[in-house]
Amino acid sequence: MTKNDGMNYAPKGKPNPVAGPGEFTIAAVALDHGHIYGMVNGLIEAGAALKWVYDRDPARAEAFARTYPQVKIASSEEEVLADPHVHLVAGAAITSERCALGLRVMDAGKDYFTDKAPFTTLEQLESARAKVRETGRKYAVYYSERIHVEAAVYAGQLIEQGAIGRVIQVTGFGPHRLNAPSRPDWFFKREQYGGILCDIGSHQVEQFLYYAGCKKAEVLHSKIANYNNPDYPELEDFGDATLLGDNGATQYFRVDWFTPDGLGTWGDGRTLILGTEGYIELRKYIDVAREKSGNHVYLVNQTGEYHFNVSGQVGYPYFGQLILDCLNRTENAMTQEHAFMAAELCLRAQREAIRIER
C-alpha cells in the first residue's frame, strides 16, 4: 500500500475467513481505479475465492493477475457474467460507468460491489434502486474511508458502546494529494468523475449517516471551487457541505486536493464526532509531526482522556459481513438504503453547490 497516492490505497489485513474454500466466488471487472485492489484484498481476507478478472485494457488485467496469480483473465465481460459459480462482481470503473456495469451484473443474477462514488447522476441512482427491487441483488459500495480504516471501525464500536452518548455532530476532513501527472484523463472530466462532492465527498456523507445513526438527511449548504488548477478547468479542487440529519444531528465536511508535498501520506484525513457525553477524534492516516502511522483514536468522555493506536487490532469486519449477507440474503454489513442514501446526498450536495469563481 502506498502512503503517497490515495488512488492506490489498498490496505491489507489479517485473514479472517467467514466462508470455506470455494463457497463464495468473486470476479473483478473494470480496473480503472486502483481501489479495486483494496476491495479484492478485503474480500479475499474474508474467505472469497477470486476466479476471474476482465478489463478492456489487457495490460491492466495482466498487472492485476501478477498481484493475484490465482486469477484467470477473461476474454470478455460476458464470459465473467455467464459463469454461474460467480457470486459477486467487484468493479472500479470510470465513475460515470459504474452504474451501467452494476445493472448488467445484477441482470446476470450476481451481486455487485463498486468503488465509490457509485453514481454521477440522480438518474443513475434511481435506475439502480429499480434494478435492486426487480432482481433482489445487492449494489454494495466501497466507502473505504470508514470500512477499510481501523480507526473508523473502532470509532463505530465506541459509539455503539455508548462511550460518548448520543452523537449530535460529525465534522469530517478529507484532503487528498492530487498527483495530477499520475491521474487518468477521465479524472479531470466533470461528466466522468462527477465532481468533488460526488467523488470524495461520498466518504464523508456515509460516515455522518453511520456515526450519527441517520436514516435520511438534507443538504443545507454546499460549495465547490477550482482555486489553483487552471490547467484542469473541469476539476474541482475544493468542496464543502453542511447537512442536517433526520434525528437532528448535523455535519460539516470539507474535501480538497491540497495535500502539501511535506506530508508523509496522501491526506491528513480526520473525523471529529461530538456526543452528548464526550467526543472522538480520528487521525486516520498520520498523526502529524508525531507518528507516521495512522489509525489513531482520541476519546474524551466523562471518565477521562484516552488515546488508542488500533493498527492491526480491529480488522475490517465489513468484508466478512458482506460475504455472509450475499450468501444469506441479509443486511448486516451495510443496508442497501444506507448505501444509496449516502450516494443521493452527495449527488444533491454536488448539484446544489455554489461555485466560487474567485
Side-chain angles (χ1 to χ4, degrees):
M1 177 180 68
T2 176
K3 293 199 71 175
N4 293 319
D5 185 357
M7 189 163 182
N8 295 306
Y9 179 73
K12 292 184 178 180
K14 300 174 183 176
N16 187 23
V18 300
E23 189 178 354
F24 189 79
T25 301
I26 64 170
V29 172
L31 316 179
D32 295 276
H33 198 293
H35 281 171
I36 190 65
Y37 288 88
M39 298 162 70
V40 169
N41 287 348
L43 290 167
I44 290 175
E45 289 159 9
L50 175 63
K51 184 174 182 180
W52 293 105
V53 62
Y54 173 73
D55 190 88
R56 55 194 164 199
D57 180 349
R60 277 203 298 247
E62 290 164 4
F64 185 89
R66 287 193 291 272
T67 300
Y68 306 102
Q70 72 272 35
V71 78
K72 294 192 288 187
I73 298 177
S75 60
S76 65
E77 178 186 304
E78 290 73 22
E79 184 176 12
V80 175
L81 298 185
D83 186 341
H85 299 291
V86 173
H87 294 87
L88 176 144
V89 174
I94 293 171
T95 314
S96 59
E97 299 175 8
R98 289 171 185 169
C99 179
L101 173 59
L103 300 183
R104 297 193 297 272
V105 169
M106 292 187 287
D107 276 335
K110 305 178 190 312
D111 293 314
Y112 179 52
F113 183 34
T114 180
D115 189 18
K116 67 78 216 158
F119 312 104
T120 54
T121 68
L122 289 166
E123 292 74 20
Q124 291 174 4
L125 168 61
E126 290 311 310
S127 68
R129 279 184 164 137
K131 188 63 69 175
V132 167
R133 290 193 296 268
E134 173 192 337
T135 64
R137 309 315 301 180
K138 295 184 182 296
Y139 195 111
V141 184
Y142 182 60
Y143 292 114
S144 58
E145 287 191 21
R146 182 177 66 81
I147 66 173
H148 224 167
V149 174
E150 287 183 285
V153 174
Y154 190 58
Q157 294 172 356
L158 288 173
I159 292 167
E160 187 175 351
Q161 294 162 12
I164 59 170
R166 173 191 169 194
V167 172
I168 56 175
Q169 215 273 337
V170 179
T171 305
F173 300 99
H176 285 57
R177 179 170 285 131
L178 184 57
N179 282 332
S182 70
R183 300 279 176 177
D185 289 343
W186 64 264
F187 177 84
F188 300 100
K189 296 178 180 177
R190 173 65 175 73
E191 186 176 347
Q192 290 185 292
Y193 82 91
I196 193 169
L197 298 178
C198 169
D199 179 22
I200 52 179
S202 63
H203 288 298
Q204 304 299 323
V205 174
E206 191 278 330
Q207 288 172 90
F208 168 57
L209 295 177
Y210 178 76
Y211 291 136
C214 301
K215 300 295 184 184
K216 297 180 179 180
E218 58 181 305
V219 178
L220 300 181
H221 184 76
S222 55
K223 303 187 294 293
I224 54 175
N226 183 333
Y227 282 120
N228 200 44
N229 287 277
D231 292 342
Y232 303 102
E234 294 187 47
L235 176 71
E236 296 156 7
D237 57 24
F238 174 91
D240 70 4
T242 304
L243 278 67
L244 172 63
D246 56 356
N247 60 4
T250 66
Q251 179 188 36
Y252 170 80
F253 73 83
R254 186 201 78 217
V255 287
D256 65 76
W257 292 101
F258 287 110
T259 294
D261 289 343
L263 187 73
T265 187
W266 53 268
D268 183 12
R270 299 196 186 196
T271 304
L272 293 96
I273 307 165
L274 176 65
T276 54
E277 303 294 330
Y279 61 90
I280 295 169
E281 180 181 352
L282 308 181
R283 301 181 189 180
K284 295 179 181 175
Y285 309 114
I286 195 169
D287 201 353
V288 172
R290 289 167 52 88
E291 293 188 38
K292 294 296 185 184
S293 66
N295 288 306
H296 294 274
V297 178
Y298 291 88
L299 165 67
V300 181
N301 63 10
Q302 307 293 11
T303 62
E305 307 167 5
Y306 307 93
H307 168 230
F308 310 96
N309 186 334
V310 296
S311 290
Q313 305 300 310
V314 181
Y316 309 113
Y318 171 87
F319 299 94
Q321 292 168 349
L322 177 60
I323 289 173
L324 293 176
D325 282 345
C326 293
L327 292 173
N328 301 326
R329 311 319 295 171
T330 50
E331 282 196 317
N332 295 314
M334 181 184 297
T335 69
Q336 187 64 78
E337 191 47 42
H338 176 93
F340 281 163
M341 181 53 59
E344 178 178 337
L345 289 167
C346 70
L347 289 167
R348 293 192 182 280
Q350 184 72 50
R351 187 179 67 175
E352 298 166 14
I354 296 169
R355 185 174 186 90
I356 301 167
E357 298 288 0
R358 299 174 190 172

